[in-house]
Amino acid sequence: MTAPLPIRPPAEPAREEAPQEAAGPRPPSPLLAPLRQTGQLFALALAVVRAVFRRPFQVREFIEQFWFVASVTILPAALVSIPFGAVIALQVGSLTQQLGAQSFTGGASVLAVIQQASPLIVALLIAGAAGSAICADLGSRKIREELDAMEVMGVSPVQRLVVPRVLATMSVAVLLNGLVSVVGTLGGYFFNVIMQGGTPGAYLASFSALAQLPDLYVGELKALIFGFIAGIVAAYRGLNPRGGPKGVGDAVNQSVVITFMLLFAVNMILTAIYLQIVPPKGG
């Protein structure tokens, strides 16, 4: 006789499980957007510094951008520096006359022009005239997908387009700073001697008594750094437009505003460091 088959318990009905939602990436927090954009800006600046030393260097693009930036900033810088130097000379001259130290008008006004006014004038003009043009050019290339096509062909947009423009803004800023310093000093000299009745000898004597060579160095260093900041911010906003052609226009406005804010903050930091490191003349 065959053994009886074992009796299996009835199978339990399958339980219906609630469908689980696919776990996707969490959307970025809008509160971290400024920090993320700041990090991307610093990453672009680092990429530009690295790409400067890579070959091939775009000499023709650099010369074209240098000429363009110089052509749109030389005349406005010279015209702005005259009234700027005059206002500083008149204000400082009026203050020193009230204090009975009119003989120090020349040195105080020239130091204010060389250390503070000249680098800021140059940087603001480069950011407003050349930086806006750079941002609009790169933004239009981005929305036409030219930059994406360059990346597909193995060409780095940073090395091909951004590096020559940033170097051009830095070079023009350094050279233009000397022009603005000279024109602003001459304007201050004219208004102090002619308008306020100062003597040329006292003006020049106070300048030689208070000014020193590091004052010119810090002005050139500020112009170099400000030109770098203006070029980087313009390139970053141009490479990241939003919303088509309207986004390009918004990016241009944002690049100018962001550059102005960064310039004043960096100028304050550099001035504080300079006053702590370099002792005043005769001190």
Side-chain angles (χ1 to χ4, degrees):
M1 295 180 62
T2 59
L5 296 175
I7 300 175
R8 298 181 179 179
E12 297 181 359
R15 298 179 180 179
E16 296 182 357
E17 297 182 357
Q20 297 181 356
E21 297 181 358
R26 300 179 61 182
S29 174
L31 299 178
L32 300 179
L35 296 178
R36 184 166 54 254
Q37 294 182 4
T38 303
Q40 294 174 356
L41 179 63
F42 278 96
L44 177 62
L46 183 60
V48 169
V49 173
R50 290 179 177 176
V52 169
F53 303 99
R54 295 177 183 174
R55 297 294 179 269
F57 181 73
Q58 305 298 328
V59 180
R60 181 176 180 180
E61 186 77 17
F62 169 73
I63 295 175
E64 292 178 355
Q65 294 301 319
F66 180 90
W67 174 250
F68 168 74
V69 175
S71 63
V72 298
T73 54
I74 287 179
L75 184 58
L79 295 178
V80 170
S81 60
I82 296 176
F84 213 99
V87 168
I88 293 177
L90 294 175
Q91 188 67 37
V92 173
S94 176
L95 181 61
T96 54
Q97 189 175 5
Q98 295 176 7
L99 298 176
Q102 193 173 2
S103 59
F104 294 99
T105 302
S109 60
V110 170
L111 286 179
V113 169
I114 293 177
Q115 290 188 10
Q116 305 296 331
S118 179
L120 285 177
I121 290 174
V122 171
L124 295 180
L125 287 175
I126 288 181
S132 58
I134 291 173
C135 181
D137 178 37
L138 295 178
S140 61
R141 291 171 183 263
K142 181 66 176 180
I143 64 174
R144 291 197 303 263
E145 299 181 354
E146 293 183 14
L147 304 183
D148 298 334
M150 293 176 62
E151 293 179 354
V152 170
M153 291 185 296
V155 179
S156 173
V158 173
Q159 185 178 3
R160 178 65 179 82
L161 300 175
V162 177
V163 171
R165 286 162 172 77
V166 173
L167 291 180
T169 56
M170 294 171 63
S171 304
V172 174
V174 172
L175 298 178
L176 204 60
N177 182 69
L179 173 64
V180 174
S181 298
V182 172
V183 176
T185 301
L186 293 178
Y189 173 83
F190 175 80
F191 279 89
N192 180 256
V193 174
I194 303 301
M195 302 295 295
Q196 294 182 321
T199 59
Y203 191 94
L204 297 177
S206 63
F207 171 68
S208 61
L210 295 179
Q212 51 185 340
L213 201 55
D215 297 329
L216 180 60
Y217 293 159
V218 71
E220 294 291 342
L221 178 62
K222 284 183 178 181
L224 183 70
I225 296 176
F226 292 167
F228 178 78
I229 293 175
I232 288 295
V233 174
Y236 171 73
R237 294 307 304 148
L239 294 175
N240 300 277
R242 296 178 181 177
K246 183 180 181 299
V248 176
D250 296 338
V252 172
N253 297 331
Q254 293 173 5
S255 69
V256 176
V257 174
I258 294 173
T259 303
F260 284 7
M261 296 174 61
L262 290 178
L263 289 180
F264 286 108
V266 174
N267 180 61
M268 181 188 65
I269 296 174
L270 293 177
T271 302
I273 294 175
Y274 173 77
L275 294 178
Q276 292 295 326
I277 294 177
V278 180
K281 191 174 182 179

